[in-house]
Amino acid sequence: MPPRPTPDRQDGGIMQLGSQITRTRLARALALLSLAAAVLLTAPAPAAAQIEMQSFYQGYRPTVSREDIDALIATFELDEAQEALVEAIYAGYRNAYNEASDIVRDELRAIQETMSLTKNEGVKQSLYNDYARKREAWADESRRLETSFFADAKALLTEEQDGRWPRFERDRRRRAGLLIGARLMAERVDLVAVLDSLDLADEVREACDEVVERYGIEFDRPLSDRHALCDRMERLAGDADGKGNAEDSQFRSLEERIKRLHVELRDINLRFMEAFKSRLPKDEGGRFEREFRRRVWPRHFAADEVEQDAGRVRSLAGLTPEQDRALEAILSAHDLRMEPLSRELVEVEMARELLRRWPTGRPGSGGAEASGGAESGQAHEAIETRSQRLLNTRKSLMRSTINDIRALLTADQLRALSTAQGIGEEEQNRQ
């Protein structure tokens, strides 16, 4: 595909076609339900829902997903009639989107094929400009379709339900836009998704609602800013095209601001990880932190050899009550020794990531001139040495703990582990 073209905001046939398809398909879908027609025809024209992620979206898959519909139903506790209306509007949206995207995709492919065959530079430039206009028109139309869908869905809500709309918008921006432009690992995780993955008891989950609300509000502002600035940078990159120092200066300024937002989002996640952990019971808080680390730094925390070994011992070795209590004591002592190492490793990994991502111009450093190549190389070598030392220490500690667990077991229990056949199963097989 050709490189990103210079934006040209002329309305084209794609937008007109998309608008026509939208009206036709929505009308056809709403005709399935007379109640839907009645509500939408009598409702005032809703304001734009302001949920779209980027103005330069140029993909071909609907930007409103099934997950968004499920979230609408759950967040607003829609009744049966409202749920049916939302489903009908969604069907119309998908039909409109898919038909419009199929058309624009075919047109763009045809232009690309013609460009690859022509030798005339004037014709090639004209085709390139046409390609750019159609891509930009489709970007606008894709946004309009998304905003129109959410505006229509919002019009179905009662006054009481409408009060929850800002929270729905924040949750959707975080859910759908978290990975758009993300750079740092701890910036890429939705803590609410981590919390919900634990399948907590209702009363435990409800105790976290206040933290969930604060997290959603605090994370949303820098996330929205990151989207907006990345969009501006993309526009600037397309407009500048090597025009000189003014654009270079603007680009560096935007880049520095975006770097700071990456770090701010990372730090909000780290701070609220501790807030959620403190709100949960001790065992559940530990599970939350472990799951967070696994998602952020899977290379180091995805597989816990001690946890896996303890699970195998409990399932296969037929522990006595005394052995089970001893195993718990070993695991508690292991966690106490492991936690300082894990926290230091997290700090090292975050510093290592900044060095790798921005080797000569880390956030707040003042740009590429802030540190020379030799200094950056020394810092990188030091952080790698420290990381390897911590990993070796953790590995030794895990081996030591597994040896302590083995020392609890009898010969028969050890044999059951080695054969992956439980004590009870072995007895049954002998009989």
Side-chain angles (χ1 to χ4, degrees), residues 21-36:
I21 291 172
T22 302
R23 288 192 298 271
T24 302
R25 289 300 186 181
L26 282 177
R28 194 177 301 167
L30 291 173
L32 299 173
L33 294 165
S34 60
L35 179 58

Side-chain angles (χ1 to χ4, degrees), residues 315-365:
S315 65
L316 296 172
L319 297 179
T320 65
E322 292 78 9
Q323 286 177 316
D324 194 59
R325 287 192 291 273
L327 176 59
E328 280 297 326
I330 289 173
L331 295 178
S332 296
H334 172 78
D335 288 343
L336 287 174
R337 293 195 299 269
M338 184 67 77
E339 184 55 25
L341 288 171
S342 295
R343 287 190 175 274
E344 186 178 357
L345 184 59
V346 165
E347 293 174 3
V348 168
E349 281 302 299
M350 289 193 295
R352 185 169 177 260
E353 185 177 36
L354 290 179
L355 271 173
R356 185 176 67 250
R357 180 68 62 182
W358 300 298
T360 59
R362 291 177 291 285
S365 66

